[in-house]
Amino acid sequence: MSLPPSLTDHACVESPPSPLASRLVGLTGSLDRCVTTGEWAPTALERSLARRLVVGSAGDLQPAPALIRSVIWEGNIPLCHENGGRFVSLLGLSLTVAESAEPDRAPALTRVRELLERLTEGTPALATPGA
């Protein structure tokens, strides 16, 4: 006999963290610490692509899979080689999480966007097409 939904659907009943989202949160935290300590600094390409993700996800505050995919495509091979591929690793895992049905994906992607915002501090705004 199962318990009625009213006894199992409480916020205090936590589900175990999803593995992909946990990995993304860990990678995001690691890169954030590396930025803070100066161990890692994004290149001009990485900053530009981070800016594109921040601007493109302004409404949802989370980068959508199509946006992440287009940024990876735009960065192409150079993005894989710059800074040991750390940034593209973050994007690749973000894409996997964004396309998943994991319950923890929203907070993980929000943390990624917060890091992206931090990486774009002090970078010029993107030019408006046709301006």
Side-chain angles (χ1 to χ4, degrees):
M1 179 174 166
S2 62
L3 294 174
S6 62
L7 295 177
T8 58
D9 292 338
H10 293 285
C12 63
V13 178
E14 293 185 27
S15 60
S18 50
L20 285 174
S22 294
R23 283 183 48 209
L24 182 57
V25 167
L27 179 57
T28 304
S30 174
L31 283 178
D32 191 42
R33 282 187 298 280
C34 289
V35 168
T36 300
T37 63
E39 186 179 328
W40 180 73
T43 64
L45 175 62
E46 292 166 334
R47 282 187 192 278
S48 172
L49 295 175
R51 172 62 120 192
R52 184 162 174 231
L53 284 163
V54 168
V55 170
S57 63
D60 298 332
L61 299 181
Q62 297 172 8
L67 178 61
I68 299 168
R69 190 177 291 107
S70 71
V71 165
I72 292 171
W73 180 259
E74 184 178 332
N76 211 316
I77 300 300
L79 186 59
C80 295
H81 295 285
E82 289 193 5
N83 272 335
R86 290 179 180 186
F87 186 70
V88 77
S89 295
L90 177 72
L91 296 182
L93 187 54
S94 296
L95 177 60
T96 302
V97 170
E99 290 181 329
S100 76
E102 294 203 22
D104 298 332
R105 74 175 182 214
L109 291 169
T110 299
R111 286 200 61 191
V112 169
R113 188 173 189 284
E114 290 168 354
L115 175 61
L116 295 173
E117 286 177 351
R118 185 166 176 221
L119 298 180
T120 62
E121 290 174 359
T123 59
L126 296 175
T128 306

